[in-house]
Amino acid sequence: MSLVSVSGLSISFGDVRAVENLSFDLEPGGALGVVGESGSGKSASAYALLGLHRGTGARVTGRVEVAGVDVNAADDARLRALRGAEAAMVFQDPLSSLDPYYAVGDQIAQVYRVHHRVSRRAARARAVEVLDRVRIPDAARRARSRPHEFSGGMRQRALIAMALACEPRLLIADEPTTALDVTVQAQILDLLHQLRQETGMGLLLVTHDVGVAAESVDDVLVMQHGRAVERGPVREVLKAPREPYTRALLSAVPRIPDGDAPRDERQEPPGGTTGEPLVEATGLRHVFGRGRAAHAAVDGVSLTVHRGETLGIVGESGSGKTTLGRILVGLLAPTSGDLTRRAAVQMVFQDPVSSLNPRRSIGESVADPLRAAGQSDEAVRARVTGLLRRVGLDPGHYDRYPHEFSGGQRQRVGIARALAAEPDLIVCDEAVSALDVTTQAQVTSLLAELQQELGLSLVFIAHDLAVVRQVSDRVAVMHRGRIVEEGPVEEVYAHPREAYTKALLAAVPALDPDRAVARRTARAELEAV
């Protein structure tokens, strides 16, 4: 009997059909990756497995069976028994899934007590047990910590621990690694693989990152516009995709080739020939806090950005790369060190939702630098219309608001706003990290076009090493506030000198499932040493 059996599933939100006639099965102990772009219906389908659309106004038809339960026909009490005990879900954003006011261990214990009649002491002991199982160091002590005291990776581990508390037969993971850097992502994927081996649970993994699917699942289901377009063993689908959409999805994924693979030789760097220095930094240092609480986020960084080039800055969360970017733009003053700017500088931020005012139209947001310069309303409107067109947006959408646009479109608005001030240098801080691979490719292609056309320089800050390799001429690797390695991008990637750089590169997901298995084995052996 299948662990999950979905037949003819359709989901509508008003007039919007999110999922249409979807069918698939997942056997006990199996792992299925559901892959597609934003809006493909993959998350909506996953939520339907636990009846999470109930009470939202969504119209759900078709048959969904999970662990023998007919989800659409089950009453609320049966659904509550299903959730957590037999099937559990790990969401994308652990901060919104964990209560900031309660200790992590208490939250896990509460979930356990919902499904088991045990004492508080027994539930707390179970919480420590599962935190230890997901490799939270010093689990007994950390169980008393609140979510804000955990790193992003540890919070995601805590969510997985909460899901495991009742030993479910099925774990549904919805984009569980999207906000994590490559090394933490690799740790979470390795953890999911090990837990499957230890517990025999089934895994349904929802992701827009094809590389994550290659690392983690046996079979893959590709979705587009709410429909399944391709399904099969992960090796077959990724190595010999049948459908044009699957091929397009794979071609959009930035790659880091094997050391013995043909090099991606370029006739010239993406930004063309580089010119004079626009930004020169020497010994930059920035300290947060005072006294014993003082922390040097940037600690003695020296670098130069030349006209027309792209400098990639990579590193894990907490490496200091965002703080450095804010110093280069002038949003933070360095505690010490020298910074010389010979250029107008603008920034494109990671999250266009929080960087755009939801109460103002996107046209007015783009117009801000122009109005600050004293231009007339007519000139401003004409300039903004031209900028929207240049970044691939409909100029007629001037008066629309941010919530009416997709994530990729909002990021294009952010780029248009940066261009309005006619900068020589744009600092992109994780500007594509929240986007699916095809939208990511569109935005990086747009930046390359603008760079060629306008002679821009770019500082491209990211935790995704494959994207940085694709767009950069030079790369600087940051670790604990310092640049530990710097050089031409092909040289650093092909022949890294530092152990830290090698570890980052080894953690990048591989599109080849066989290579992914070899990497996971190598990481496990390294951890065991």
Side-chain angles (χ1 to χ4, degrees), residues 121-350:
R121 171 179 283 186
R124 282 196 293 267
R126 176 61 176 165
V128 172
E129 181 185 339
V130 290
L131 284 171
D132 183 66
R133 192 176 201 176
V134 299
R135 295 158 185 79
I136 295 286
D138 196 4
R141 181 178 65 84
R142 296 312 302 263
R144 298 191 292 272
S145 300
R146 288 175 171 76
H148 74 272
E149 297 177 90
F150 278 24
S151 67
M154 286 179 65
R155 283 193 291 265
Q156 200 60 282
R157 286 173 184 266
L159 272 190
I160 295 171
M162 186 180 293
L164 291 175
C166 298
E167 298 187 348
R169 295 169 59 193
L170 171 68
L171 181 66
I172 304 167
D174 183 22
E175 301 279 10
T177 63
T178 295
L180 306 177
D181 57 59
V182 287
T183 50
V184 179
Q185 173 177 268
Q187 292 165 10
I188 296 298
L189 296 178
D190 289 349
L191 172 64
L192 290 174
H193 177 77
Q194 291 159 10
L195 291 170
R196 277 184 60 214
Q197 288 186 318
E198 292 169 5
T199 66
M201 70 178 182
L203 173 67
L204 186 119
L205 176 69
V206 175
T207 180
H208 67 253
D209 190 328
V210 186
V212 166
E215 293 259 343
S216 313
V217 300
D218 308 317
D219 296 279
V220 66
L221 170 70
V222 182
M223 291 189 69
Q224 182 189 28
H225 303 319
R227 290 178 171 270
V229 296
E230 188 158 359
R231 164 81 195 268
V234 66
R235 283 173 176 79
E236 291 180 15
V237 173
L238 297 191
K239 290 187 174 182
R242 300 187 310 273
E243 298 299 320
Y245 175 72
T246 309
R247 290 196 291 270
L249 203 61
L250 287 167
S251 67
V253 178
R255 307 171 190 233
I256 297 177
D258 290 316
D260 55 355
R263 291 270 298 280
D264 177 21
E265 300 291 352
R266 302 189 185 98
Q267 295 302 311
E268 63 175 6
T273 331
T274 57
E276 76 278 11
L278 294 184
V279 173
E280 291 182 282
T282 306
L284 289 184
R285 198 163 188 269
H286 189 85
V287 178
F288 291 104
R290 295 181 179 179
R292 290 186 177 181
H295 167 66
V298 173
D299 192 8
V301 166
S302 299
L303 57 80
T304 302
V305 184
H306 298 270
R307 183 176 297 279
E309 79 166 343
T310 299
L311 172 65
I313 300 178
V314 298
E316 297 172 288
S317 299
S319 62
K321 56 189 189 297
T322 290
T323 302
L324 175 60
R326 289 173 178 264
I327 292 172
L328 296 180
V329 173
L331 293 176
L332 282 175
T335 305
S336 59
D338 297 316
L339 178 64
T340 303
R341 291 190 208 92
R342 302 182 182 89
V345 184
Q346 287 290 310
M347 194 165 200
V348 176
F349 296 91
Q350 175 176 355

Side-chain angles (χ1 to χ4, degrees), residues 418-440:
L419 291 174
E422 299 185 344
D424 302 291
L425 169 66
I426 296 179
V427 175
C428 301
D429 183 21
E430 298 281 11
V432 298
S433 65
L435 307 178
D436 59 58
V437 288
T438 47
T439 308
Q440 190 178 82

Side-chain angles (χ1 to χ4, degrees), residues 315-487:
E316 297 172 288
S317 299
S319 62
K321 56 189 189 297
T322 290
T323 302
L324 175 60
R326 289 173 178 264
I327 292 172
L328 296 180
V329 173
L331 293 176
L332 282 175
T335 305
S336 59
D338 297 316
L339 178 64
T340 303
R341 291 190 208 92
R342 302 182 182 89
V345 184
Q346 287 290 310
M347 194 165 200
V348 176
F349 296 91
Q350 175 176 355
D351 181 10
V353 174
S354 60
S355 61
L356 293 171
N357 189 329
R359 294 179 178 83
R360 303 184 68 212
S361 74
I362 58 109
E364 287 305 303
S365 289
V366 174
D368 282 341
L370 304 173
R371 296 197 188 283
Q375 295 189 22
S376 67
D377 288 348
E378 185 176 317
V380 166
R381 186 94 187 189
R383 171 72 172 146
V384 171
T385 296
L387 285 169
L388 293 177
R389 184 180 291 111
R390 183 63 198 83
V391 298
L393 296 173
D394 185 343
H397 294 167
Y398 184 108
D399 295 311
R400 292 191 178 184
Y401 290 85
H403 73 271
E404 299 178 77
F405 294 86
S406 68
Q409 288 173 323
R410 285 193 291 260
Q411 201 57 286
R412 289 172 184 265
V413 173
I415 294 169
R417 183 174 59 181
L419 291 174
E422 299 185 344
D424 302 291
L425 169 66
I426 296 179
V427 175
C428 301
D429 183 21
E430 298 281 11
V432 298
S433 65
L435 307 178
D436 59 58
V437 288
T438 47
T439 308
Q440 190 178 82
Q442 291 164 6
V443 172
T444 55
S445 177
L446 170 63
L447 288 169
E449 289 172 15
L450 293 169
Q451 186 175 30
Q452 291 282 1
E453 180 184 321
L454 304 174
L456 293 170
S457 299
L458 297 175
V459 172
F460 198 90
I461 298 169
H463 64 254
D464 189 326
L465 278 79
V467 172
V468 169
R469 176 187 176 273
Q470 189 178 52
V471 304
S472 303
D473 305 309
R474 290 188 300 119
V475 62
V477 181
M478 287 195 72
H479 182 48
R480 296 179 180 173
R482 296 176 175 270
I483 292 178
V484 296
E485 187 158 1
E486 182 181 1

